[in-house]
Amino acid sequence: MTAAQRRFCPALLVAAPASGQGKTTVAAALARLHARQGRQVRVFKCGADFLDPGWLALASGAPVHSLDLWMTGEADCAARLWQAAGEADLLIVEGVMGLFDGDPSAADLARRFALPVLAVVDASAMAGTFGALAFGLQRYRDGLPWAGVLANRVAGEGHAAMLRESLRDSRHWLGALPRDPAFVLPERHLGLVAATESTDGLARIDAMADALAETPLGRMTASELLGWSVQFDPPAAQPALSTAASAPTAAATPLRGKTVAVARDTAFCFIYPANLDCLLELGAQLVFFSPLADPQLPHCDAVWLPGGYPELHAGRLADATRFMAGLRSFAETRAVHGECGGYMALGRALTDAQGVAHEMAGLLSVETSFFKRRMTLGYRRARLLADGPLGPQGAVRLGHEFHYATITAAGDDVALAQVGDAYGGAEAPSGSRRGRVSGSFFHVIAEAP
């Protein structure tokens, strides 16, 4: 490796002691602040998440990819960071849950790539303990790069002064953001409301960026940011692809000449950019459509229904008779795959939060319910039981599950995969397959092409 191959770029990992502290708020505000100043900002999200990246993309003006040491792997993370470092003036990585939560955690990612940690702490109900918490976050694990701490939801200047005085080292004070309803991003059962659904999303981010501009963090100059520069080395080898349509090598294009129709609207909005990139890399043409608009299916060779919120739009989907009829006819000769919310839409019925059952496509026997709710969350390792849209029989796909819906009737479909967690737990049959139609609750994600 030559020195010319190495890339240096200022970088921060925005973390917190727990979920709900304001990581996304601060990461989005910081990205927006520097983007408004004409800098190229690239933002990443640590862990499995579809919703936070939408807000971060709105703030930065660029796609937001996931970095996950288990789900996509260290080589994928290294490749994406190295590539971004050659294009950007600032890299921002938003952590997941608390700094040390999960295995691997955001702290593991920070240590592996020497990313300085900016800790965001909801200080609304504390004073001196703020300093103890900041000290613990910094020192809990040896070798953790540290940038400093920012207090969130602060009552006023006097409160901010107490918080700053509680720190062992005042150089770690990066400022305080006030408690303000204008800074609150809208939420629902799976997390934040999708940025595309917010009518004032950019205005909220701009307000947060304006407030951040008044802090030591926001006032840092480009030369001062260089103090947080990180060296990123080029990947040793091109990572292998692992996605909804895999290939023997990264150079192969088995989907050349094929068109994949991807549902994309407020009911089907959970789409990793990496999966779309991978389909393009494999040679596919992509066309997007909205099932909620009740369209005729576009001309295509396969249909992909991603996850999202079909439970919030079950009535409209049931009334989308032209789309449903077209999908049923299409599935007689060509492949259809549904992921999580898309899986629910391919089943016989979906019961909404009010207990009303709505007829779905009926291409799979499964019936699901959002009325009988139970949260399912975690990494997943899926071993495919037959050839299909996710790959050949026996292939292993890494991903995750996150949903509240339950299966109330499984029917007689064949299982799609044997699925287990990330920690060696017993595998069990999961998902459904009937003819050319398949679906599952687990999400897969591609590595860097």
Side-chain angles (χ1 to χ4, degrees):
M1 182 193 309
T2 67
Q5 290 176 305
R6 299 187 178 99
R7 292 172 175 175
F8 296 85
C9 187
L12 284 174
L13 188 143
V14 181
S19 296
Q21 303 279 298
K23 296 189 302 292
T24 307
T25 296
V26 173
L30 186 63
R32 180 63 174 164
L33 179 63
H34 286 276
R36 291 190 320 199
Q37 294 171 358
R39 298 187 179 95
Q40 296 296 315
V41 183
R42 287 295 308 276
V43 189
F44 296 91
K45 173 63 183 178
C46 179
D49 197 311
F50 296 100
L51 295 167
D52 292 1
W55 289 94
L56 300 172
L58 180 63
S60 65
V64 174
H65 287 273
S66 296
L67 300 179
D68 192 284
L69 290 172
W70 185 87
M71 195 166 60
T72 60
E74 184 176 317
D76 176 82
C77 296
R80 293 193 186 282
L81 287 168
W82 180 78
Q83 182 179 16
E87 304 167 350
D89 303 302
L90 175 65
L91 303 185
I92 301 170
V93 181
E94 186 196 341
V96 58
M97 300 185 293
L99 177 58
F100 302 103
D101 294 335
D103 183 18
S105 66
D108 293 325
L109 189 73
R111 292 209 316 173
R112 168 57 186 84
F113 294 105
L115 303 171
V117 173
L118 163 64
V120 177
V121 177
D122 180 352
S124 58
M126 65 177 71
T129 303
F130 177 83
L133 184 56
F135 183 79
L137 290 172
Q138 180 186 2
R139 301 298 182 90
Y140 180 72
R141 188 167 295 174
D142 294 338
L144 183 70
W146 191 252
V149 61
L150 185 138
N152 195 23
R153 299 167 190 151
V154 174
E157 293 183 5
H159 187 195
M162 287 190 290
L163 298 171
R164 179 175 182 175
E165 290 168 5
S166 72
L167 296 177
R168 291 281 187 94
D169 188 339
S170 61
R171 293 174 299 177
H172 294 158
W173 174 256
L174 294 177
L177 291 176
R179 185 189 305 128
D180 191 328
F183 300 166
V184 177
L185 300 179
E187 297 186 57
R188 61 161 66 105
H189 57 280
L190 291 179
L192 295 177
V193 169
T196 53
E197 293 185 54
S198 175
T199 58
D200 63 348
L202 194 58
R204 286 178 179 269
I205 294 173
D206 274 324
M208 295 185 289
D210 291 342
L212 189 67
E214 302 302 317
T215 68
L217 175 64
R219 291 194 294 267
M220 291 184 72
T221 64
S223 60
E224 289 173 325
L225 284 173
L226 290 176
W228 288 331
S229 287
V230 176
Q231 173 185 305
F232 297 101
D233 296 330
Q238 195 79 340
L241 295 170
S242 174
T243 188
S246 194
T249 68
T253 55
L255 298 182
R256 183 174 299 279
K258 304 294 185 181
T259 299
V260 178
V262 183
R264 185 166 65 179
D265 56 24
T266 55
F268 303 98
C269 52
F270 293 173
I271 305 173
Y272 284 120
N275 288 350
L276 300 180
D277 291 346
C278 187
L279 289 171
L280 293 171
E281 183 78 11
L282 294 172
Q285 298 289 320
L286 302 182
V287 59
F288 297 93
F289 69 100
S290 169
L292 290 178
D294 193 18
Q296 291 184 344
L297 277 179
H299 177 74
C300 61
D301 300 284
V303 172
W304 175 24
L305 302 181
Y309 295 107
E311 64 272 17
L312 302 182
H313 305 277
R316 285 185 63 188
L317 286 172
D319 291 339
T321 54
R322 181 167 55 178
F323 161 69
M324 288 295 188
L327 188 65
R328 294 180 189 114
S329 176
F330 181 91
E332 293 176 2
T333 57
R334 285 159 289 180
V336 178
H337 181 70
E339 185 176 84
C340 199
Y343 180 38
M344 296 163 69
L346 291 176
R348 289 177 177 168
L350 192 169
T351 301
D352 64 21
Q354 288 71 47
V356 178
H358 302 272
E359 182 181 358
M360 293 289 107
L363 294 172
L364 296 172
S365 299
V366 67
E367 297 180 15
T368 56
S369 174
F370 190 65
F371 184 68
K372 297 180 179 179
R373 287 193 280 180
R374 182 185 66 214
M375 187 176 76
T376 302
L377 171 68
Y379 287 132
R380 296 292 183 264
R381 182 189 300 271
R383 181 170 52 85
L384 303 180
L385 297 175
D387 295 349
L390 295 183
Q393 181 177 358
V396 173
R397 294 289 174 260
L398 303 183
H400 65 95
E401 278 189 69
F402 184 24
H403 58 89
Y404 283 87
T406 58
I407 294 176
T408 55
D412 56 359
D413 295 336
V414 177
L416 177 65
Q418 288 286 117
V419 177
D421 62 23
Y423 311 108
E427 293 184 348
S430 184
S432 305
R433 183 169 53 85
R434 181 197 288 178
R436 295 175 175 83
V437 182
S438 61
S440 70
F441 268 125
F442 64 86
H443 300 271
V444 296
I445 183 171
E447 298 176 5

